[in-house]
Amino acid sequence: MKGVERRLLGCVPRWVTVVLGVLAAGQGVLVVVQAELLVRAVAGLDAGPLPWLAGAVAGRAALAWVVTVVAGRAAARVKRGLREGLLAVPGAGPSGAGSPGGRVTLLTRGLDAVDPFFTGYVPQLLAACVVPVVVLARLVSVDWASAVVVAVTVPLVPVFGALVGMRTAAVTVRQWESLRRLGGHFRDVVAGLSTLRAFGRAEHQSGVVRRLADGHRRASVRALRVAFLSSLVLELVCALSVALVAVPVGLRLLEGRMALSAGLLVLVLTPEVYLPLRALGQRFHASAEGVAAAEEAFAVLDTSAGSPVVGSAGGRVVAGGAPEIVLRDVTVRYPGSREAALSGVSLRVAAGERVAVAGPSGAGKSTLLLVLAGLVRPESGRVLVDGVDLADLDLEAWRARLGWVPQRPHLFAASVADNIRLGDPGAGDARVVEAARAAGAAEFVAGLPEGYATVLGEGGAGLSAGQRQRVAVARAYLAGGDVMLLDEPTARLDLRSERLLVDAAVRLLEGRTAVLVAHRTALLGVADRVVRLEGGRVAGEVARGEVAA
Ligand code: ADP
Ligand code: MG
């Protein structure tokens, strides 16, 4: 058994294991009872036991139903745990399950594939451990010679099963791999469809998707073929083993050295010993895809152990009012990269001060804001808010004090008003309009077909970049925190939009502690001080106005 399977089995709650074990024992007993009743009816040509026989069959069905309910509960619980864990892991890494597409496949379809492991494999594993022992015990008391043959041949089933299983594992891993690659690629293509069309590469991409889909189809068929062949091997082993018991029993019956009822009981019970083991092989194949998916989920969860996201709660809550923010020797390194994104950055932003951060692309400006927002944890160094380390702060409360205008704000496919209201879900219409006015957005919103009720497209489609930025500023304005973080809000705007946004920023930053990433002089003019970052280090402070675009 591989480590992943052991770890998945470890996820099964103890009470489930106990209940399933007891149910398996019950099934073993019912198998024996059923065989005894059948033999009594056949050998004695007696219809008396038939109602009891029907009862035994119904009992087995009822037990099987309880097993699926219990195992289904366990599966749902384990999947929920894995999904919550995966969702908490920040997206990182260039490929594999770390890439958004791969992660989406894993979170949805991938983890659903774990179901057969818990509803099929786990109960069958317990049945395979318990039922043969119960049945074999009865066989010993009927005819020890047959019992010896069965006891010797039974271990052959798991041995052959393991041999075949090794081969299957490799094939299913490949199948899962190709499904994930398909999912990841498909998501990328859909996200970039307009770009691809513009460059006339859409046709080419549909060819690539077709080729990947073809590869996945072939891998699936290969996995199926191996699964069918392997179950054939197990059938054969079981059939031969049953024959080894049946032939001597038949001969002894012919020679009159064995009672008919005893012989029949042996013949009915013998296949029941092999049945759970044979079924285990099938269940194993059915769950192989889920095991491969779980392996990937565990890998993502393990590598994220030292993840950059800070998610602590229950820390200190510092009273409101524009705070002083101090960075001391802050170094940040993203997982998987050798270069530090920030190295030894020290910076003091006084209460109510507005500091602009300038520098070339890749200098670490956005990273600096992420650190301040508590979204990235520094490798070393400290961030102090009014003298309290960010690591000790209650981050939910800290983020509630933040206004955040990212470089590319995400707008949702909802009305303009609802998009602004994201800053404060309880805000009434009047406050939404006030925020829009402060952000310089009121004018263009009035020009939209349905004003504030206009529903935007996915990602804010229907608005220009500048309009989107101003909706984001309105959002931050409504949130009304006393710390503002702005990440190059004017980077791709025309002059008029830029002027409107700068005016909005002046109103937004009034009386607040602010850090704004800025390139262009207009926005830099809003700041009290400009700090220049280069290659993750503070390259010096520049007086306002000296920094050209
Ligand atoms: P800026 O905003 O100044 O352009 P960033 O803070 O975005 O710079 O990036 C600083 C450095 O960190 C760059 O070298 C960038 O490649 C790297 N970086 C940024 N985000 C990530 C990430 N999620 N994973 C790995 N490296 C990253
Ligand atoms: Mg940036």
Side-chain angles (χ1 to χ4, degrees), residues 365-366 407 487-488 517:
K365 306 181 296 292
S366 300
Q407 203 167 337
D487 196 350
E488 301 198 58
V517 176

Side-chain angles (χ1 to χ4, degrees), residues 402-421:
L402 290 179
W404 164 261
V405 181
Q407 203 167 337
R408 286 183 201 86
H410 187 84
L411 300 195
F412 294 90
S415 71
V416 175
D418 283 346
N419 266 296
I420 295 176
R421 209 172 271 130

Side-chain angles (χ1 to χ4, degrees), residues 176-263:
W176 167 240
E177 180 90 358
S178 76
L179 176 64
R180 210 199 53 208
R181 211 175 308 136
L182 183 63
H185 190 82
F186 194 66
R187 184 190 170 281
D188 282 350
V189 168
V190 169
L193 203 56
S194 52
T195 313
L196 289 170
R197 283 205 87 107
F199 287 95
R201 299 292 285 170
E203 274 309 307
H204 171 73
Q205 281 304 328
S206 59
V208 173
V209 169
R210 203 174 301 130
R211 212 169 52 238
L212 284 175
D214 215 40
H216 176 243
R217 181 182 58 80
R218 225 169 290 141
S220 304
V221 171
R222 202 174 308 135
L224 276 179
R225 195 167 54 207
V226 172
F228 282 136
L229 280 180
S230 64
S231 61
L232 188 73
V233 169
L234 290 187
E235 297 283 331
L236 205 66
V237 172
C238 294
L240 288 178
S241 306
V242 172
L244 280 181
V245 174
V247 171
V249 166
L251 289 177
R252 276 152 71 196
L253 280 175
L254 270 182
E255 292 165 11
R257 283 192 289 135
M258 194 179 205
L260 175 62
S261 60

